[in-house]
Amino acid sequence: MRAALFARTGVAFGVVALLAWAAAPVDIAWAQARPAASAVPALPAAVAAASGDARTLDLTQLGLHYAIKLRGFSGTVGIPFSVRADELVTGASLRLNYAFSPSLIPALSHIKVSVNDVEVATLPYGTAEAGKPQAVDIPIDRRLIADFNRINIELVAHYTNECEDPNHSSLWATIDASSALTLNVTPLKLTSDLATLPQPFFDRRDVRRASIPFVFAGASPSAPTTTAALGAAGIVSSWLGGLAGYRGATFPVTTGELPTATHAIVFATPDSGIAGLTLPAIKGPTLTVVDHPRDPAFKLLLVMGRNAAELSTAASALALNSRAFTGATSTIADLQLPAPRKPHDAPRWISSDRAVMLGELAPGPVFSVSGYTPDVVKVDLMIPPDLFTWRSRGIPLDLHYRYTPRVRPDQSTLNLSVNDTFIGSLPLRAANMASDAWWNVFALKLLPDGSALHSTQLHLPPLAMGSRSQLRMHYYFEQPRTTCTPVLDNVRGGIEPTSTIDVSSFPHYIAMPELAAYANGGFPFSRLADLAETAVVLPDRAERGDIETYLALMGQIGNVTGYPALRVTVGTASNVEQWADKDLLVLGNLKNQPLFTQWAAQMPLRRGPATAAGQSAEQFHIGSWFEDTLNLIQGSRQREDLPTSTTQMSVFEERTDAVLAGFQSPLRAGRSVVAVVANEASQPALVNALLTPELLQRIQGSMSIVRAAQVSS
């Protein structure tokens, strides 16, 4: 049923080169204690002299959002990093901020650092520095660096010359999250070939937030050709946003000119005027890759058509199957769009009409773990934001798991949680529960490979489940309590990919407005993954910031659905009446978007009349403490038979914040409006909030205010 809308080029090296490198001395600059940022020792000369632009990434940017603690005889952590296809690494170094346990034996303890299994440094244990923060700069030979790389940091630790307990509390070292990798890179000229798409415009090796410039002709944004270009650009930005995934994507806009020192995507028709760029003859929907006129190291992707329809066709073909193209240019002779999407069938959402196997949601290797300190099995769950689970036991999970049986009964368990909410703990049984006799009827039946397979049915609590959740399954294997007997690290565990999660029994209903559903799940627009029932309404004279916001929001929704916005409608405020049957995404600021004035009565924020001093007030409708308490108790199920009490507040100031507001469409009951109110000063903060998980989770309710790095709802 329809939702109720209101209630990232590695260089290969030979054996000779590797031996030559190995014979070279390794220069390590030491520091007795971690220095302040302004007092960081200079890099070794071999590193400092490296050419190219320096790029520094700390552990958080490399995907480790926590300080690393290495434990035991041989604790190891792997830090992945990658290099873009259009860049050549000319130098690299690792700044390691670390500390040792003060209880270790110096002659037997150290930290080994390797890159792609080649050791680059050994950091000895020093008694004088034990337990204190230390810092070291480790140069990395650029010949070790390939496309995808891994830095391994291994602790070798001993606290006694006698028999040791592998779990002794003194066996530790920490790697601070401020540790950073620096790469010196220079641009690498690529061939002009559509077969490399989406490179170099988006490179999955690059872990940074994607920034992909879009270029439009120099016409007024309200001209028909530019409106058509914006529709095509929305399709492409939603496709790129889906590719960017966790990185997020922004789309800086230039009009009538090309950006410098960067790749860019150009949207053009025959009458487009872009300074410094000579367009080729356009004979239909065309995709072309050319060198940037000002710097051949960079590329331009030209998305072209003779009219609005052909421009949309070129953009759709690019988004649907970029791998179909080869050569420098390609003209699309014919394109049949896929059938319209059905409600709640976004490719990245858990299907609403059948049970879904966990193997459909994550790659196979993540389901198997090994060792006494195994990784957590993580499965991302994206459920429709309007899934109605009220008064249910929860979302059914049919879990099949296997493990090497314990020798004797102990505390080993499989622990399950959704995000940070603990769900349950499943005991891992011993092979023989009572005795070692072969006739024991309680003996655990094993599979031919020696593992035990179990199945259980669980229910994931609805209150722990959001539009974006993560199912985490962690095997805890209790280690044998032995001091002088070697411990065999031969334990294994795994989740069967055939395990299923099933939401097909739940109806679709959500009480609106609820900005959390929009911010996390693109709802209500994402209800149809191709955005067939969505209209984006720009001001009649849209500013650059408005267009950049629109492109970023399309990228965000594309990331949520995993599908390009093939059928989104883009128009201006003067034509809004014809889209009464659609959900509206209205963009602009209180000065250039007239709908914010016309629909003021329905909005929680509006611009008041100008005063004698030329100022105008922004007025907020504020609910009373009674309403806030009621919402806290009963959630979004608001009673309509109770008296309402609202207060109005007027603020006179130069606004540097952005506002998200949700309300019912004044054009048709049952349709939603999400108003995005931002000016040139506040637009970057708004986009950053929507692309930053810590800020995104704070967006909820009917209105959210974004000010710098703060969100208030």
Side-chain angles (χ1 to χ4, degrees):
M1 62 178 287
R2 172 172 172 81
L5 292 182
F6 275 83
R8 155 143 323 171
T9 297
V11 178
F13 56 92
V15 174
V16 175
L18 180 59
L19 293 176
W21 172 85
V26 177
D27 184 16
I28 299 178
W30 285 89
Q32 294 302 318
R34 185 190 309 169
S38 59
V40 174
L43 292 177
V47 177
S51 61
D53 296 330
R55 176 185 306 150
T56 300
L57 301 169
D58 60 27
L59 295 189
T60 299
Q61 294 169 301
L62 292 172
L64 280 72
H65 300 278
Y66 48 85
I68 300 167
K69 193 143 191 175
L70 304 175
R71 294 185 179 274
F73 291 147
S74 184
T76 304
V77 65
I79 306 171
F81 73 96
S82 49
V83 181
R84 288 178 56 97
D86 59 347
E87 292 178 341
L88 177 66
V89 175
T90 59
S93 66
L94 175 66
R95 159 55 62 97
L96 203 62
N97 297 320
Y98 67 102
F100 272 112
S101 165
S103 303
L104 303 183
I105 301 176
L108 301 177
S109 305
H110 56 273
I111 288 178
K112 295 194 298 184
V113 181
S114 60
V115 176
N116 295 333
D117 298 324
V118 177
E119 188 172 337
V120 297
T122 299
L123 311 180
Y125 173 88
T127 305
E129 297 82 27
K132 301 177 182 178
Q134 302 179 64
V136 61
D137 288 307
I138 305 172
I140 301 173
D141 193 294
R142 64 182 180 86
R143 293 168 295 180
L144 293 176
I145 299 176
D147 289 351
F148 296 95
N149 309 273
R150 189 175 186 88
I151 299 173
N152 279 340
I153 303 175
E154 180 183 357
L155 169 67
V156 178
H158 297 279
Y159 67 94
T160 179
N161 289 316
E162 305 297 332
C163 296
E164 295 180 298
D165 178 3
N167 298 313
H168 199 277
S169 60
S170 65
L171 297 174
W172 63 264
T174 58
I175 309 298
D176 195 85
S178 62
S179 302
L181 174 70
T182 298
L183 299 175
N184 293 81
V185 298
T186 58
L188 187 65
K189 181 174 174 55
L190 303 175
T191 59
S192 297
D193 192 348
L194 293 167
T196 65
L197 289 174
Q199 298 174 6
F201 310 98
F202 168 76
D203 195 319
R204 66 189 180 96
R205 302 170 179 86
D206 197 338
V207 299
R208 300 170 299 171
R209 179 173 294 174
S211 179
I212 309 168
F214 279 20
V215 182
F216 300 96
S220 167
S222 62
T225 53
T226 303
T227 302
L230 290 176
I235 296 173
V236 176
S237 64
S238 64
W239 167 62
L240 292 170
L243 295 177
Y246 69 91
R247 306 168 185 84
T250 60
F251 305 91
V253 169
T254 57
T255 302
E257 61 182 0
L258 297 172
T260 59
T262 183
H263 309 290
I265 300 178
V266 180
F267 297 87
T269 54
D271 56 349
S272 297
I274 300 174
L277 178 63
T278 301
L279 294 173
I282 304 175
K283 300 179 181 179
T286 305
L287 300 172
T288 302
V289 177
V290 298
D291 290 340
H292 194 297
R294 299 178 187 173
D295 191 342
F298 298 100
K299 298 294 181 182
L300 300 177
L301 173 61
L302 309 182
V303 181
M304 302 180 294
R306 292 171 295 189
N307 51 48
E310 290 187 351
L311 197 59
S312 179
T313 297
S316 299
L318 173 65
L320 287 171
N321 198 358
S322 61
R323 296 182 180 180
F325 303 107
T326 58
T329 186
S330 182
T331 299
I332 297 93
D334 182 56
L335 175 67
Q336 297 294 328
L337 290 179
R341 305 296 299 196
K342 297 178 181 179
H344 311 105
D345 73 344
R348 288 186 176 164
W349 291 4
I350 295 177
S351 175
S352 295
D353 54 17
R354 63 178 178 87
V356 176
M357 294 189 296
L358 297 187
E360 300 178 54
L361 306 176
V366 307
F367 292 104
S368 298
V369 298
S370 62
Y372 281 102
T373 56
D375 291 335
V376 178
V377 178
K378 301 177 181 178
V379 179
D380 291 328
L381 305 176
M382 297 190 69
I383 63 176
D386 61 340
L387 198 69
F388 191 68
T389 58
W390 187 46
R391 290 186 175 178
S392 71
R393 295 182 58 195
I395 298 175
L397 174 66
D398 188 10
L399 185 66
H400 310 285
Y401 60 101
R402 65 169 65 198
Y403 57 93
T404 50
R406 314 305 294 147
V407 174
R408 58 187 57 85
D410 58 16
Q411 303 300 314
S412 299
T413 54
L414 172 59
N415 304 304
L416 291 87
S417 63
V418 173
N419 300 325
D420 295 325
T421 302
F422 177 72
I423 303 301
S425 182
L426 305 174
L428 304 184
R429 291 180 54 190
N432 204 320
M433 296 297 294
S435 69
D436 293 331
W438 64 268
W439 60 83
N440 181 14
V441 295
F442 298 105
L444 187 65
K445 293 182 179 180
L446 304 180
L447 297 176
D449 62 358
S451 64
L453 177 65
H454 288 282
S455 297
T456 189
Q457 286 74 42
L458 302 168
H459 287 84
L460 306 181
L463 293 179
M465 303 288 292
S467 299
R468 304 183 190 188
S469 301
Q470 189 177 72
L471 176 62
R472 302 171 184 173
M473 296 162 283
H474 178 236
Y475 277 95
Y476 165 71
F477 295 104
E478 183 178 353
Q479 296 193 34
R481 296 295 177 179
T482 59
T483 301
C484 298
T485 303
V487 176
L488 296 179
D489 198 2
N490 60 351
V491 293
R492 301 290 185 269
I495 306 298
E496 293 297 302
T498 54
S499 302
T500 61
I501 182 170
D502 190 358
V503 301
S504 60
S505 63
F506 297 97
H508 291 276
Y509 172 87
I510 186 173
M512 298 287 280
E514 180 48 78
L515 290 177
Y518 166 72
N520 292 278
F523 194 85
F525 314 110
S526 57
R527 176 177 171 272
L528 295 175
D530 54 8
L531 304 194
E533 294 184 359
T534 296
V536 179
V537 185
L538 293 164
D540 292 331
R541 297 192 63 83
E543 301 169 2
R544 181 180 66 178
D546 300 326
I547 299 173
E548 290 181 348
T549 300
Y550 153 66
L551 296 174
L553 297 183
M554 291 297 99
Q556 180 207 24
I557 296 177
N559 180 33
V560 168
T561 63
Y563 197 80
L566 299 178
R567 292 180 170 86
V568 67
T569 300
V570 182
T572 59
S574 58
N575 300 319
V576 69
E577 297 289 342
Q578 62 183 299
W579 303 311
D581 62 338
K582 296 179 181 290
D583 296 308
L584 305 179
L585 182 58
V586 184
L587 312 179
N589 56 61
L590 294 174
K591 294 181 179 179
N592 68 359
Q593 179 52 272
L595 295 180
F596 295 155
T597 300
Q598 296 174 25
W599 297 347
Q602 287 81 19
M603 295 183 62
L605 167 71
R606 67 175 182 265
R607 192 176 186 84
T611 66
Q615 289 182 309
S616 59
E618 291 186 355
Q619 300 174 344
F620 301 84
H621 292 287
I622 307 172
S624 70
W625 69 268
F626 178 78
E627 291 178 294
D628 294 339
T629 304
L630 181 63
N631 289 335
L632 176 64
I633 295 173
Q634 65 178 19
S636 60
R637 301 178 298 278
Q638 184 172 1
R639 292 180 57 183
E640 299 180 354
D641 60 331
L642 297 175
T644 60
S645 174
T646 59
T647 303
Q648 190 175 89
M649 177 177 70
S650 297
V651 179
F652 293 93
E653 61 182 23
E654 185 66 29
R655 304 306 298 172
T656 58
D657 47 19
V659 174
L660 287 171
F663 53 97
Q664 184 168 208
S665 173
L667 304 180
R668 181 166 298 177
R671 286 294 182 177
S672 287
V673 175
V674 173
V676 183
V677 187
N679 55 29
E680 186 175 358
S682 61
Q683 182 266 346
L686 170 67
V687 172
N688 180 66
L690 291 170
L691 298 179
T692 305
E694 294 79 10
L695 299 176
L696 187 68
Q697 64 183 358
R698 303 177 191 169
I699 299 176
Q700 52 190 300
S702 62
M703 183 175 71
S704 294
I705 302 173
V706 181
R707 181 179 294 115
Q710 297 180 347
V711 176
S712 302
S713 294

